[in-house]
Amino acid sequence: MMKAYCRSRWAIWLLLATLLVTGLLAGWLLANSFEIVLNMWFFAVVPLAIIVSIDYWHFRREWQQLQDDHPIDSAQITDPLSLAYYQKIQGLTQKLRTTKDAAHEQEQETLDTLQLWTHQIKTPLTALDLLLQVEPVNAKDARLEISKIDRYLAVMLNYLKLTTLNTDLVLSELPLKPLVNETVRDLAKLFIAKDLTVTVGPLPTVVSDSQWLHFIFEQLLTNAIKYTPRGSIKIYAKGDAVMVADTGIGILAEDLPRIFEQGYSGYNGRANQKASGLGLFLSKQIAEKLGLKLTVTSEVGQGSTFAIHFPQTRWQVE
């Protein structure tokens, strides 16, 4: 500790030694007696020793606080520079604690989502297993279950990529009609399985990311298919939005404000026992990152209409 104290005060010791030597030389040059010079030196050293003792006592107390595991009392820090360092360290420590808490919360949220997704993907896996046990194997139904598993995997991969979405955007002028038609073709087996008709009206050309916009449309259409036992699904432009409307069972009014929350499936989703709420949550998050707005209106027994609002004032209709 003494070595650390000396090293921390080396500039002061050098200055004091220079002053003492200068005083002795000045006294000698002024032809003062050696006794007078010694007395001058003594009266300078005594108060200096008292000051050094007090300073060393403060340094020793602060040093011992640093060595202990107990919290440091900032009121006992007398050196302004040390106090500034202490406050800086406290600020960084608080930021680190906040970051760790956020990381832990995100980790727990991811684990909860994975658990929910695992429960969801078990449904098509179980159905596929049962289909393979019955001879002859119904290839059509088996392929349908495989396509469901493939989409669930895509949802999870996109969920994991969501945190890096800002660096994975490729914006371009994008005609929506071909993109929506492609999405409908990808989901053709689901439409055919439930004998649902789908209509795609004239759609605008917008500036967006084709990959992520395709994902949003896929989730909205999959959701519409899931909750539409019979009837039709329509995709059309209206005002500043592209609408995805179904004639399904609809959504309860009390569920509407929360359907985009992570893990929230609402009454119909719980009754269906196949909904995790992950698809709509991801769609909402991605839409916001793309600068879009996702809204929904619904009436129980009449169907639901999801709207993707694009921030454009001029629309080019195909």
Side-chain angles (χ1 to χ4, degrees), residues 220 223-224 228 232-236 238 241-248 250-251 256 259-260 294-299 302-309:
L220 295 184
N223 189 76
T228 305
S232 63
I233 296 173
K234 297 180 181 180
I235 303 100
Y236 58 94
K238 181 180 180 181
V242 172
M243 323 296 285
V244 178
D246 63 60
T247 58
I251 305 170
L256 279 174
I259 63 170
F260 293 113
L294 202 58
T295 61
V296 59
T297 57
S298 183
E299 185 177 346
Q302 299 298 317
S304 304
T305 301
F306 286 83
I308 307 174
H309 300 266

PDB file of all heavy atoms in Angstrom, residues 220 223-224 228 232-236 238 241-248 250-251 256 259-260 294-299 302-309:
ATOM      1  N   LEU A 220     -50.603 -13.814 -42.606  1.00  0.00           N
ATOM      2  CA  LEU A 220     -51.996 -13.351 -42.608  1.00  0.00           C
ATOM      3  C   LEU A 220     -52.903 -14.332 -43.342  1.00  0.00           C
ATOM      4  O   LEU A 220     -54.024 -14.615 -42.892  1.00  0.00           O
ATOM      5  CB  LEU A 220     -52.080 -11.965 -43.257  1.00  0.00           C
ATOM      6  CG  LEU A 220     -51.364 -10.825 -42.526  1.00  0.00           C
ATOM      7  CD1 LEU A 220     -51.608  -9.497 -43.239  1.00  0.00           C
ATOM      8  CD2 LEU A 220     -51.803 -10.727 -41.069  1.00  0.00           C
ATOM      9  N   ASN A 223     -53.257 -17.554 -41.263  1.00  0.00           N
ATOM     10  CA  ASN A 223     -54.172 -17.296 -40.155  1.00  0.00           C
ATOM     11  C   ASN A 223     -55.620 -17.284 -40.653  1.00  0.00           C
ATOM     12  O   ASN A 223     -56.524 -17.827 -40.002  1.00  0.00           O
ATOM     13  CB  ASN A 223     -53.821 -15.955 -39.506  1.00  0.00           C
ATOM     14  CG  ASN A 223     -54.583 -15.710 -38.224  1.00  0.00           C
ATOM     15  OD1 ASN A 223     -54.287 -16.270 -37.185  1.00  0.00           O
ATOM     16  ND2 ASN A 223     -55.589 -14.844 -38.293  1.00  0.00           N
ATOM     17  N   ALA A 224     -55.841 -16.667 -41.824  1.00  0.00           N
ATOM     18  CA  ALA A 224     -57.192 -16.617 -42.386  1.00  0.00           C
ATOM     19  C   ALA A 224     -57.695 -18.016 -42.729  1.00  0.00           C
ATOM     20  O   ALA A 224     -58.858 -18.359 -42.463  1.00  0.00           O
ATOM     21  CB  ALA A 224     -57.198 -15.726 -43.634  1.00  0.00           C
ATOM     22  N   THR A 228     -61.082 -20.050 -41.062  1.00  0.00           N
ATOM     23  CA  THR A 228     -62.191 -19.964 -42.017  1.00  0.00           C
ATOM     24  C   THR A 228     -62.627 -21.376 -42.404  1.00  0.00           C
ATOM     25  O   THR A 228     -62.016 -22.010 -43.274  1.00  0.00           O
ATOM     26  CB  THR A 228     -61.763 -19.176 -43.275  1.00  0.00           C
ATOM     27  OG1 THR A 228     -61.258 -17.897 -42.887  1.00  0.00           O
ATOM     28  CG2 THR A 228     -62.944 -18.982 -44.216  1.00  0.00           C
ATOM     29  N   SER A 232     -64.571 -17.813 -48.346  1.00  0.00           N
ATOM     30  CA  SER A 232     -63.549 -17.285 -49.231  1.00  0.00           C
ATOM     31  C   SER A 232     -62.609 -16.327 -48.500  1.00  0.00           C
ATOM     32  O   SER A 232     -62.902 -15.872 -47.388  1.00  0.00           O
ATOM     33  CB  SER A 232     -64.212 -16.532 -50.397  1.00  0.00           C
ATOM     34  OG  SER A 232     -64.945 -15.423 -49.896  1.00  0.00           O
ATOM     35  N   ILE A 233     -61.499 -16.041 -49.160  1.00  0.00           N
ATOM     36  CA  ILE A 233     -60.511 -15.073 -48.680  1.00  0.00           C
ATOM     37  C   ILE A 233     -60.203 -14.132 -49.841  1.00  0.00           C
ATOM     38  O   ILE A 233     -59.968 -14.584 -50.964  1.00  0.00           O
ATOM     39  CB  ILE A 233     -59.231 -15.779 -48.201  1.00  0.00           C
ATOM     40  CG1 ILE A 233     -59.550 -16.671 -46.993  1.00  0.00           C
ATOM     41  CG2 ILE A 233     -58.149 -14.760 -47.839  1.00  0.00           C
ATOM     42  CD1 ILE A 233     -58.394 -17.537 -46.550  1.00  0.00           C
ATOM     43  N   LYS A 234     -60.201 -12.839 -49.554  1.00  0.00           N
ATOM     44  CA  LYS A 234     -59.972 -11.843 -50.594  1.00  0.00           C
ATOM     45  C   LYS A 234     -58.795 -10.946 -50.212  1.00  0.00           C
ATOM     46  O   LYS A 234     -58.653 -10.551 -49.054  1.00  0.00           O
ATOM     47  CB  LYS A 234     -61.219 -10.989 -50.809  1.00  0.00           C
ATOM     48  CG  LYS A 234     -62.433 -11.766 -51.308  1.00  0.00           C
ATOM     49  CD  LYS A 234     -63.641 -10.853 -51.496  1.00  0.00           C
ATOM     50  CE  LYS A 234     -64.857 -11.648 -51.981  1.00  0.00           C
ATOM     51  NZ  LYS A 234     -66.041 -10.771 -52.170  1.00  0.00           N
ATOM     52  N   ILE A 235     -57.965 -10.641 -51.204  1.00  0.00           N
ATOM     53  CA  ILE A 235     -56.864  -9.689 -51.034  1.00  0.00           C
ATOM     54  C   ILE A 235     -57.099  -8.559 -52.013  1.00  0.00           C
ATOM     55  O   ILE A 235     -57.193  -8.789 -53.234  1.00  0.00           O
ATOM     56  CB  ILE A 235     -55.489 -10.350 -51.289  1.00  0.00           C
ATOM     57  CG1 ILE A 235     -55.285 -11.556 -50.371  1.00  0.00           C
ATOM     58  CG2 ILE A 235     -54.380  -9.344 -51.058  1.00  0.00           C
ATOM     59  CD1 ILE A 235     -55.556 -12.868 -51.021  1.00  0.00           C
ATOM     60  N   TYR A 236     -57.203  -7.325 -51.517  1.00  0.00           N
ATOM     61  CA  TYR A 236     -57.511  -6.196 -52.396  1.00  0.00           C
ATOM     62  C   TYR A 236     -56.949  -4.913 -51.780  1.00  0.00           C
ATOM     63  O   TYR A 236     -56.585  -4.859 -50.592  1.00  0.00           O
ATOM     64  CB  TYR A 236     -59.022  -6.072 -52.596  1.00  0.00           C
ATOM     65  CG  TYR A 236     -59.808  -5.901 -51.308  1.00  0.00           C
ATOM     66  CD1 TYR A 236     -60.137  -4.637 -50.833  1.00  0.00           C
ATOM     67  CD2 TYR A 236     -60.231  -7.013 -50.575  1.00  0.00           C
ATOM     68  CE1 TYR A 236     -60.852  -4.478 -49.661  1.00  0.00           C
ATOM     69  CE2 TYR A 236     -60.944  -6.867 -49.401  1.00  0.00           C
ATOM     70  CZ  TYR A 236     -61.252  -5.601 -48.945  1.00  0.00           C
ATOM     71  OH  TYR A 236     -61.954  -5.459 -47.783  1.00  0.00           O
ATOM     72  N   LYS A 238     -57.328  -0.926 -50.680  1.00  0.00           N
ATOM     73  CA  LYS A 238     -58.352   0.016 -50.245  1.00  0.00           C
ATOM     74  C   LYS A 238     -57.655   1.175 -49.530  1.00  0.00           C
ATOM     75  O   LYS A 238     -57.014   0.985 -48.508  1.00  0.00           O
ATOM     76  CB  LYS A 238     -59.351  -0.668 -49.308  1.00  0.00           C
ATOM     77  CG  LYS A 238     -60.466   0.270 -48.833  1.00  0.00           C
ATOM     78  CD  LYS A 238     -61.424  -0.451 -47.918  1.00  0.00           C
ATOM     79  CE  LYS A 238     -62.527   0.468 -47.432  1.00  0.00           C
ATOM     80  NZ  LYS A 238     -63.474  -0.211 -46.503  1.00  0.00           N
ATOM     81  N   ALA A 241     -54.054   0.989 -47.885  1.00  0.00           N
ATOM     82  CA  ALA A 241     -53.769  -0.341 -47.345  1.00  0.00           C
ATOM     83  C   ALA A 241     -54.091  -1.448 -48.334  1.00  0.00           C
ATOM     84  O   ALA A 241     -54.858  -1.264 -49.285  1.00  0.00           O
ATOM     85  CB  ALA A 241     -54.563  -0.560 -46.059  1.00  0.00           C
ATOM     86  N   VAL A 242     -53.471  -2.593 -48.072  1.00  0.00           N
ATOM     87  CA  VAL A 242     -53.826  -3.835 -48.748  1.00  0.00           C
ATOM     88  C   VAL A 242     -54.560  -4.693 -47.733  1.00  0.00           C
ATOM     89  O   VAL A 242     -54.049  -4.938 -46.620  1.00  0.00           O
ATOM     90  CB  VAL A 242     -52.579  -4.570 -49.280  1.00  0.00           C
ATOM     91  CG1 VAL A 242     -52.959  -5.942 -49.810  1.00  0.00           C
ATOM     92  CG2 VAL A 242     -51.916  -3.753 -50.375  1.00  0.00           C
ATOM     93  N   MET A 243     -55.741  -5.157 -48.068  1.00  0.00           N
ATOM     94  CA  MET A 243     -56.602  -5.867 -47.141  1.00  0.00           C
ATOM     95  C   MET A 243     -56.553  -7.370 -47.388  1.00  0.00           C
ATOM     96  O   MET A 243     -56.501  -7.820 -48.535  1.00  0.00           O
ATOM     97  CB  MET A 243     -58.056  -5.397 -47.279  1.00  0.00           C
ATOM     98  CG  MET A 243     -58.216  -3.906 -47.546  1.00  0.00           C
ATOM     99  SD  MET A 243     -57.627  -2.865 -46.185  1.00  0.00           S
ATOM    100  CE  MET A 243     -58.963  -3.089 -45.018  1.00  0.00           C
ATOM    101  N   VAL A 244     -56.579  -8.139 -46.303  1.00  0.00           N
ATOM    102  CA  VAL A 244     -56.717  -9.591 -46.358  1.00  0.00           C
ATOM    103  C   VAL A 244     -57.979  -9.920 -45.559  1.00  0.00           C
ATOM    104  O   VAL A 244     -57.977  -9.887 -44.323  1.00  0.00           O
ATOM    105  CB  VAL A 244     -55.492 -10.320 -45.764  1.00  0.00           C
ATOM    106  CG1 VAL A 244     -55.708 -11.832 -45.794  1.00  0.00           C
ATOM    107  CG2 VAL A 244     -54.228  -9.948 -46.543  1.00  0.00           C
ATOM    108  N   ALA A 245     -59.056 -10.215 -46.265  1.00  0.00           N
ATOM    109  CA  ALA A 245     -60.358 -10.405 -45.623  1.00  0.00           C
ATOM    110  C   ALA A 245     -60.814 -11.850 -45.766  1.00  0.00           C
ATOM    111  O   ALA A 245     -60.674 -12.458 -46.827  1.00  0.00           O
ATOM    112  CB  ALA A 245     -61.389  -9.471 -46.241  1.00  0.00           C
ATOM    113  N   ASP A 246     -61.359 -12.400 -44.686  1.00  0.00           N
ATOM    114  CA  ASP A 246     -61.878 -13.766 -44.718  1.00  0.00           C
ATOM    115  C   ASP A 246     -63.322 -13.783 -44.242  1.00  0.00           C
ATOM    116  O   ASP A 246     -63.833 -12.791 -43.705  1.00  0.00           O
ATOM    117  CB  ASP A 246     -61.008 -14.701 -43.874  1.00  0.00           C
ATOM    118  CG  ASP A 246     -61.006 -14.334 -42.392  1.00  0.00           C
ATOM    119  OD1 ASP A 246     -62.084 -14.339 -41.771  1.00  0.00           O
ATOM    120  OD2 ASP A 246     -59.918 -14.031 -41.846  1.00  0.00           O
ATOM    121  N   THR A 247     -63.960 -14.921 -44.425  1.00  0.00           N
ATOM    122  CA  THR A 247     -65.352 -15.103 -43.972  1.00  0.00           C
ATOM    123  C   THR A 247     -65.398 -16.121 -42.838  1.00  0.00           C
ATOM    124  O   THR A 247     -66.311 -16.930 -42.758  1.00  0.00           O
ATOM    125  CB  THR A 247     -66.233 -15.583 -45.143  1.00  0.00           C
ATOM    126  OG1 THR A 247     -65.686 -16.814 -45.664  1.00  0.00           O
ATOM    127  CG2 THR A 247     -66.289 -14.557 -46.242  1.00  0.00           C
ATOM    128  N   GLY A 248     -64.373 -16.064 -41.983  1.00  0.00           N
ATOM    129  CA  GLY A 248     -64.216 -17.057 -40.932  1.00  0.00           C
ATOM    130  C   GLY A 248     -65.011 -16.777 -39.676  1.00  0.00           C
ATOM    131  O   GLY A 248     -66.005 -16.035 -39.693  1.00  0.00           O
ATOM    132  N   GLY A 250     -64.201 -15.138 -37.037  1.00  0.00           N
ATOM    133  CA  GLY A 250     -64.059 -13.823 -36.438  1.00  0.00           C
ATOM    134  C   GLY A 250     -63.297 -13.847 -35.119  1.00  0.00           C
ATOM    135  O   GLY A 250     -62.892 -14.895 -34.616  1.00  0.00           O
ATOM    136  N   ILE A 251     -63.101 -12.655 -34.558  1.00  0.00           N
ATOM    137  CA  ILE A 251     -62.328 -12.485 -33.323  1.00  0.00           C
ATOM    138  C   ILE A 251     -63.176 -11.730 -32.309  1.00  0.00           C
ATOM    139  O   ILE A 251     -63.833 -10.732 -32.656  1.00  0.00           O
ATOM    140  CB  ILE A 251     -61.025 -11.698 -33.598  1.00  0.00           C
ATOM    141  CG1 ILE A 251     -60.210 -12.380 -34.706  1.00  0.00           C
ATOM    142  CG2 ILE A 251     -60.186 -11.566 -32.334  1.00  0.00           C
ATOM    143  CD1 ILE A 251     -59.044 -11.549 -35.212  1.00  0.00           C
ATOM    144  N   LEU A 256     -59.269  -8.421 -29.675  1.00  0.00           N
ATOM    145  CA  LEU A 256     -58.690  -7.619 -30.757  1.00  0.00           C
ATOM    146  C   LEU A 256     -57.478  -6.780 -30.334  1.00  0.00           C
ATOM    147  O   LEU A 256     -56.475  -6.745 -31.045  1.00  0.00           O
ATOM    148  CB  LEU A 256     -59.757  -6.710 -31.373  1.00  0.00           C
ATOM    149  CG  LEU A 256     -60.689  -7.368 -32.385  1.00  0.00           C
ATOM    150  CD1 LEU A 256     -61.787  -6.398 -32.812  1.00  0.00           C
ATOM    151  CD2 LEU A 256     -59.904  -7.842 -33.607  1.00  0.00           C
ATOM    152  N   ILE A 259     -54.189  -9.302 -30.034  1.00  0.00           N
ATOM    153  CA  ILE A 259     -53.856 -10.424 -30.915  1.00  0.00           C
ATOM    154  C   ILE A 259     -52.444 -10.343 -31.492  1.00  0.00           C
ATOM    155  O   ILE A 259     -51.910 -11.346 -31.957  1.00  0.00           O
ATOM    156  CB  ILE A 259     -54.869 -10.551 -32.072  1.00  0.00           C
ATOM    157  CG1 ILE A 259     -54.834  -9.306 -32.952  1.00  0.00           C
ATOM    158  CG2 ILE A 259     -56.256 -10.828 -31.550  1.00  0.00           C
ATOM    159  CD1 ILE A 259     -55.613  -9.487 -34.225  1.00  0.00           C
ATOM    160  N   PHE A 260     -51.827  -9.139 -31.465  1.00  0.00           N
ATOM    161  CA  PHE A 260     -50.463  -9.015 -31.980  1.00  0.00           C
ATOM    162  C   PHE A 260     -49.407  -9.183 -30.884  1.00  0.00           C
ATOM    163  O   PHE A 260     -48.226  -9.028 -31.139  1.00  0.00           O
ATOM    164  CB  PHE A 260     -50.269  -7.661 -32.664  1.00  0.00           C
ATOM    165  CG  PHE A 260     -51.080  -7.500 -33.919  1.00  0.00           C
ATOM    166  CD1 PHE A 260     -52.115  -6.581 -33.989  1.00  0.00           C
ATOM    167  CD2 PHE A 260     -50.809  -8.275 -35.042  1.00  0.00           C
ATOM    168  CE1 PHE A 260     -52.862  -6.428 -35.146  1.00  0.00           C
ATOM    169  CE2 PHE A 260     -51.553  -8.136 -36.206  1.00  0.00           C
ATOM    170  CZ  PHE A 260     -52.582  -7.216 -36.244  1.00  0.00           C
ATOM    171  N   LEU A 294     -49.915  -2.416 -39.214  1.00  0.00           N
ATOM    172  CA  LEU A 294     -50.787  -3.587 -39.330  1.00  0.00           C
ATOM    173  C   LEU A 294     -51.970  -3.410 -38.394  1.00  0.00           C
ATOM    174  O   LEU A 294     -51.793  -3.229 -37.180  1.00  0.00           O
ATOM    175  CB  LEU A 294     -49.990  -4.843 -38.954  1.00  0.00           C
ATOM    176  CG  LEU A 294     -50.497  -6.202 -39.479  1.00  0.00           C
ATOM    177  CD1 LEU A 294     -50.576  -6.197 -40.988  1.00  0.00           C
ATOM    178  CD2 LEU A 294     -49.559  -7.298 -39.006  1.00  0.00           C
ATOM    179  N   THR A 295     -53.190  -3.446 -38.967  1.00  0.00           N
ATOM    180  CA  THR A 295     -54.407  -3.293 -38.162  1.00  0.00           C
ATOM    181  C   THR A 295     -55.387  -4.405 -38.502  1.00  0.00           C
ATOM    182  O   THR A 295     -55.222  -5.120 -39.497  1.00  0.00           O
ATOM    183  CB  THR A 295     -55.075  -1.926 -38.412  1.00  0.00           C
ATOM    184  OG1 THR A 295     -55.443  -1.827 -39.793  1.00  0.00           O
ATOM    185  CG2 THR A 295     -54.134  -0.780 -38.055  1.00  0.00           C
ATOM    186  N   VAL A 296     -56.428  -4.539 -37.682  1.00  0.00           N
ATOM    187  CA  VAL A 296     -57.411  -5.594 -37.897  1.00  0.00           C
ATOM    188  C   VAL A 296     -58.785  -5.123 -37.435  1.00  0.00           C
ATOM    189  O   VAL A 296     -58.912  -4.389 -36.446  1.00  0.00           O
ATOM    190  CB  VAL A 296     -57.010  -6.886 -37.147  1.00  0.00           C
ATOM    191  CG1 VAL A 296     -56.891  -6.641 -35.647  1.00  0.00           C
ATOM    192  CG2 VAL A 296     -57.989  -8.014 -37.434  1.00  0.00           C
ATOM    193  N   THR A 297     -59.797  -5.528 -38.169  1.00  0.00           N
ATOM    194  CA  THR A 297     -61.194  -5.365 -37.755  1.00  0.00           C
ATOM    195  C   THR A 297     -61.857  -6.728 -37.883  1.00  0.00           C
ATOM    196  O   THR A 297     -61.489  -7.536 -38.740  1.00  0.00           O
ATOM    197  CB  THR A 297     -61.934  -4.339 -38.639  1.00  0.00           C
ATOM    198  OG1 THR A 297     -61.854  -4.763 -40.009  1.00  0.00           O
ATOM    199  CG2 THR A 297     -61.329  -2.956 -38.493  1.00  0.00           C
ATOM    200  N   SER A 298     -62.825  -6.979 -37.019  1.00  0.00           N
ATOM    201  CA  SER A 298     -63.441  -8.305 -37.043  1.00  0.00           C
ATOM    202  C   SER A 298     -64.808  -8.273 -36.383  1.00  0.00           C
ATOM    203  O   SER A 298     -65.098  -7.406 -35.536  1.00  0.00           O
ATOM    204  CB  SER A 298     -62.540  -9.323 -36.325  1.00  0.00           C
ATOM    205  OG  SER A 298     -63.082 -10.618 -36.410  1.00  0.00           O
ATOM    206  N   GLU A 299     -65.623  -9.238 -36.806  1.00  0.00           N
ATOM    207  CA  GLU A 299     -66.935  -9.436 -36.191  1.00  0.00           C
ATOM    208  C   GLU A 299     -67.154 -10.933 -36.056  1.00  0.00           C
ATOM    209  O   GLU A 299     -66.984 -11.678 -37.025  1.00  0.00           O
ATOM    210  CB  GLU A 299     -68.026  -8.807 -37.058  1.00  0.00           C
ATOM    211  CG  GLU A 299     -69.408  -8.867 -36.419  1.00  0.00           C
ATOM    212  CD  GLU A 299     -70.463  -8.177 -37.260  1.00  0.00           C
ATOM    213  OE1 GLU A 299     -70.087  -7.430 -38.180  1.00  0.00           O
ATOM    214  OE2 GLU A 299     -71.671  -8.401 -37.001  1.00  0.00           O
ATOM    215  N   GLN A 302     -68.700 -13.400 -38.674  1.00  0.00           N
ATOM    216  CA  GLN A 302     -68.725 -12.756 -39.995  1.00  0.00           C
ATOM    217  C   GLN A 302     -67.363 -12.757 -40.682  1.00  0.00           C
ATOM    218  O   GLN A 302     -67.276 -12.665 -41.898  1.00  0.00           O
ATOM    219  CB  GLN A 302     -69.216 -11.301 -39.855  1.00  0.00           C
ATOM    220  CG  GLN A 302     -70.622 -11.178 -39.286  1.00  0.00           C
ATOM    221  CD  GLN A 302     -71.673 -11.843 -40.161  1.00  0.00           C
ATOM    222  OE1 GLN A 302     -71.640 -11.709 -41.389  1.00  0.00           O
ATOM    223  NE2 GLN A 302     -72.595 -12.564 -39.542  1.00  0.00           N
ATOM    224  N   GLY A 303     -66.295 -12.837 -39.900  1.00  0.00           N
ATOM    225  CA  GLY A 303     -64.959 -12.849 -40.487  1.00  0.00           C
ATOM    226  C   GLY A 303     -64.074 -11.733 -39.971  1.00  0.00           C
ATOM    227  O   GLY A 303     -64.489 -10.901 -39.155  1.00  0.00           O
ATOM    228  N   SER A 304     -62.841 -11.718 -40.460  1.00  0.00           N
ATOM    229  CA  SER A 304     -61.852 -10.729 -40.036  1.00  0.00           C
ATOM    230  C   SER A 304     -61.189 -10.113 -41.265  1.00  0.00           C
ATOM    231  O   SER A 304     -61.070 -10.742 -42.313  1.00  0.00           O
ATOM    232  CB  SER A 304     -60.773 -11.380 -39.156  1.00  0.00           C
ATOM    233  OG  SER A 304     -61.341 -12.027 -38.038  1.00  0.00           O
ATOM    234  N   THR A 305     -60.740  -8.874 -41.099  1.00  0.00           N
ATOM    235  CA  THR A 305     -60.029  -8.175 -42.176  1.00  0.00           C
ATOM    236  C   THR A 305     -58.760  -7.556 -41.603  1.00  0.00           C
ATOM    237  O   THR A 305     -58.824  -6.670 -40.741  1.00  0.00           O
ATOM    238  CB  THR A 305     -60.900  -7.077 -42.807  1.00  0.00           C
ATOM    239  OG1 THR A 305     -62.096  -7.660 -43.337  1.00  0.00           O
ATOM    240  CG2 THR A 305     -60.141  -6.374 -43.913  1.00  0.00           C
ATOM    241  N   PHE A 306     -57.625  -8.046 -42.077  1.00  0.00           N
ATOM    242  CA  PHE A 306     -56.333  -7.480 -41.695  1.00  0.00           C
ATOM    243  C   PHE A 306     -55.903  -6.482 -42.767  1.00  0.00           C
ATOM    244  O   PHE A 306     -56.084  -6.730 -43.967  1.00  0.00           O
ATOM    245  CB  PHE A 306     -55.281  -8.576 -41.554  1.00  0.00           C
ATOM    246  CG  PHE A 306     -55.438  -9.398 -40.313  1.00  0.00           C
ATOM    247  CD1 PHE A 306     -56.341 -10.458 -40.282  1.00  0.00           C
ATOM    248  CD2 PHE A 306     -54.695  -9.129 -39.170  1.00  0.00           C
ATOM    249  CE1 PHE A 306     -56.498 -11.232 -39.144  1.00  0.00           C
ATOM    250  CE2 PHE A 306     -54.852  -9.882 -38.020  1.00  0.00           C
ATOM    251  CZ  PHE A 306     -55.752 -10.935 -38.005  1.00  0.00           C
ATOM    252  N   ALA A 307     -55.321  -5.368 -42.332  1.00  0.00           N
ATOM    253  CA  ALA A 307     -54.901  -4.328 -43.266  1.00  0.00           C
ATOM    254  C   ALA A 307     -53.422  -4.019 -43.065  1.00  0.00           C
ATOM    255  O   ALA A 307     -52.973  -3.812 -41.935  1.00  0.00           O
ATOM    256  CB  ALA A 307     -55.735  -3.070 -43.064  1.00  0.00           C
ATOM    257  N   ILE A 308     -52.670  -3.999 -44.179  1.00  0.00           N
ATOM    258  CA  ILE A 308     -51.270  -3.564 -44.159  1.00  0.00           C
ATOM    259  C   ILE A 308     -51.239  -2.164 -44.751  1.00  0.00           C
ATOM    260  O   ILE A 308     -51.466  -1.979 -45.958  1.00  0.00           O
ATOM    261  CB  ILE A 308     -50.375  -4.507 -44.986  1.00  0.00           C
ATOM    262  CG1 ILE A 308     -50.565  -5.959 -44.552  1.00  0.00           C
ATOM    263  CG2 ILE A 308     -48.917  -4.099 -44.853  1.00  0.00           C
ATOM    264  CD1 ILE A 308     -49.820  -6.953 -45.435  1.00  0.00           C
ATOM    265  N   HIS A 309     -50.968  -1.163 -43.922  1.00  0.00           N
ATOM    266  CA  HIS A 309     -50.955   0.223 -44.363  1.00  0.00           C
ATOM    267  C   HIS A 309     -49.553   0.608 -44.829  1.00  0.00           C
ATOM    268  O   HIS A 309     -48.584   0.467 -44.082  1.00  0.00           O
ATOM    269  CB  HIS A 309     -51.407   1.144 -43.236  1.00  0.00           C
ATOM    270  CG  HIS A 309     -52.800   0.861 -42.746  1.00  0.00           C
ATOM    271  ND1 HIS A 309     -53.900   1.525 -43.218  1.00  0.00           N
ATOM    272  CD2 HIS A 309     -53.263  -0.042 -41.832  1.00  0.00           C
ATOM    273  CE1 HIS A 309     -54.987   1.068 -42.614  1.00  0.00           C
ATOM    274  NE2 HIS A 309     -54.628   0.112 -41.772  1.00  0.00           N
TER     275      HIS A 309
END
